[in-house]
Amino acid sequence: AVFGRSMENVVDIGRKMGVIKIKNSDLLSPDQLGHTPDSEVCILCTGSQGEPLAALSRIASGTHRHIHLKPSDTVVFSSNPIPGNTASVNKIIDKLFRSGATVLSRSVLTNLHTTGHASREEQKLMLQLIKPRYFMPIHGEFKMLMQHRQTAIDTGMDPNKIFVCANGDILILRNHEVLQSDWRYQGDDIYVDGNDITGLSTAVLKDRRILADNGLVAVVIAIDSKENKILSRPIIVSRGFVFIKDSQSLIKEAEFIVNASLQEKMKEKTTFSEIKNCIRSTLEPFLYKKTKRNPIVIPVILNSKQTMEELTKKRTAHTRSKRPIHTKKEHIEREEK
């Protein structure tokens, strides 16, 4: 008997292709299980990686509609836990033992593992049959992707046309050519605040995560919006990104690149929003290329001739309002000093 949607699909395709040879009379339907002696039944099911909704998980929890474990049952794991799934697989095995079943998994004494992945020679055969112009290995740890890359090189592929990407990397497909972009997409886990039903705090948690991992970079520029020109070269300040004293050359180069981009941008009339976008789109790819980190970039624009005058007025008014009142004697003493 076969249980689990993916397992049923695989067996069905295998039978149609002639790879799996099983007679119709040898396959049991769920309803026939109850009328067949246990010693004559073998069940193939999904859930070898501890997936919570798979057939084996429901069998172990006692919630499966058709299968209930007995002390005389034997469960065989013909798979290895994928790195990261060990804890969930161990939970399933523990539940199976609690049900009284005998559980066999791969160990020093038993070699039960049947791989679901192609071997290196099979991968080479696939590459030689398809003859791809571009190749991007997927699904696995970085070391596995690099080994798959080497396999492609061994078959004669151009190393420059093989892309080993991390989550968030972007490939551009244009005019039958493939290029790797300097831009990155935040393709990692999304954290949600359980107390916020609107989901608005998700952006806040995302920013906290980026700040914790990559830090912050502020770009301060002074402009004259009336004359549409930059009054001084941008100043870059960072927190939690790089140690300033050891990265002076990086900061100076970043300031130069941002300044050149802004000079080009402000040859024509522009808005504050466009200036900020120009700073981000110039600085973010540069910093990632140099450091492999994506800090939060905050542009700070000082509209010098207007904003600075207003700030000065506010500060003067604020100072006058808080100036202490002196007695006549104190006033004379201050004048003498």
Side-chain angles (χ1 to χ4, degrees):
V2 183
F3 286 90
R5 189 173 300 168
S6 60
M7 183 73 77
E8 291 169 10
N9 290 338
V10 168
V11 170
D12 186 45
I13 293 168
R15 292 184 70 201
K16 287 178 181 177
M17 298 291 290
V19 179
I20 299 175
K21 296 178 175 61
I22 303 176
K23 298 176 184 177
N24 288 334
S25 58
D26 290 335
L27 278 175
L28 297 175
S29 66
D31 296 331
Q32 291 174 306
L33 281 177
H35 310 293
T36 309
D38 290 350
S39 58
E40 297 178 12
V41 176
C42 175
I43 296 171
L44 300 177
C45 67
T46 56
S48 63
Q49 297 301 324
E51 302 94 325
L53 299 179
L56 186 60
S57 297
R58 288 183 281 126
I59 292 169
S61 301
T63 58
H64 198 280
R65 192 188 310 172
H66 302 288
I67 305 169
H68 302 282
L69 286 172
K70 300 176 183 176
S72 58
D73 291 335
T74 300
V75 180
V76 180
F77 280 81
S78 61
S79 59
N80 276 347
I82 294 169
N85 291 351
T86 308
S88 55
V89 172
N90 286 340
K91 284 183 181 178
I92 298 295
I93 292 175
D94 194 60
K95 286 182 180 178
L96 292 170
F97 272 113
R98 286 178 183 274
S99 300
T102 302
V103 182
L104 301 178
S105 58
R106 189 179 182 183
S107 67
V108 178
L109 301 175
T110 56
N111 185 21
L112 300 171
H113 178 238
T114 303
T115 180
H117 296 273
S119 67
R120 183 171 295 175
E121 293 305 313
E122 288 171 319
Q123 290 175 346
K124 284 182 180 178
L125 175 62
M126 207 68 181
L127 286 162
Q128 288 166 344
L129 288 171
I130 296 172
K131 294 183 173 61
R133 287 178 59 196
Y134 297 94
F135 178 57
M136 184 182 74
I138 61 167
H139 194 71
E141 297 169 349
F142 194 80
K143 63 180 181 182
M144 299 173 182
L145 303 182
M146 290 301 292
Q147 288 170 351
H148 203 173
R149 176 182 183 274
Q150 187 58 47
T151 302
I153 293 172
D154 292 343
T155 63
M157 274 209 72
D158 182 356
N160 295 322
K161 293 186 176 182
I162 303 173
F163 302 96
V164 178
C165 299
N167 287 345
D169 289 345
I170 294 174
L171 296 180
I172 299 172
L173 281 66
R174 183 185 296 138
N175 298 328
H176 303 284
E177 299 291 332
V178 180
L179 304 169
Q180 186 153 11
S181 173
D182 288 332
W183 284 86
R184 297 193 77 251
Y185 172 76
Q186 292 298 327
D188 299 315
D189 295 338
I190 296 174
Y191 293 88
V192 181
D193 188 340
N195 297 321
D196 175 32
I197 59 172
T198 64
L200 295 175
S201 67
T202 305
V204 177
L205 293 171
K206 177 184 172 184
D207 286 346
R208 287 180 192 169
R209 187 76 178 176
I210 296 171
L211 285 169
D213 292 340
N214 299 313
L216 175 146
V217 171
V219 184
V220 184
I221 62 164
I223 67 168
D224 184 352
S225 60
K226 285 188 176 180
E227 297 183 13
N228 203 44
K229 68 177 184 179
I230 303 172
L231 298 175
S232 63
R233 197 176 70 178
I235 299 170
I236 292 180
V237 182
S238 78
R239 290 291 181 273
F241 173 55
V242 291
F243 187 52
I244 294 292
K245 288 185 179 179
D246 293 341
S247 307
Q248 287 297 324
S249 59
L250 173 69
I251 298 299
K252 292 295 180 186
E253 189 179 355
E255 289 175 352
F256 176 80
I257 288 172
V258 171
N259 186 55
S261 180
L262 286 173
Q263 293 285 5
E264 188 67 27
K265 184 71 177 175
M266 295 187 72
K267 285 181 180 178
E268 55 189 34
K269 203 69 177 174
T270 186
T271 63
F272 282 3
S273 177
E274 289 173 344
I275 292 171
K276 289 179 179 180
N277 288 336
C278 177
I279 293 170
R280 290 193 187 98
S281 62
T282 303
L283 192 57
E284 286 177 354
F286 170 78
L287 294 177
Y288 180 75
K289 188 175 181 181
K290 292 289 184 181
T291 65
K292 298 300 180 186
R293 294 168 70 187
N294 282 309
I296 291 180
V297 176
I298 300 179
V300 180
I301 302 173
L302 301 177
N303 193 3
S304 184
K305 289 188 177 179
Q306 294 177 359
T307 309
M308 294 303 288
E309 287 177 5
E310 290 176 8
L311 286 172
T312 305
K313 287 178 183 178
K314 286 180 181 178
R315 284 175 185 169
T316 306
H318 184 70
T319 305
R320 283 176 179 170
S321 66
K322 290 196 173 183
R323 183 175 291 169
I325 300 171
H326 301 285
T327 62
K328 187 175 181 181
K329 183 180 178 182
E330 288 173 337
H331 180 70
I332 293 168
E333 287 174 354
R334 287 179 69 226
E335 290 296 323
E336 286 174 351
K337 288 179 181 177

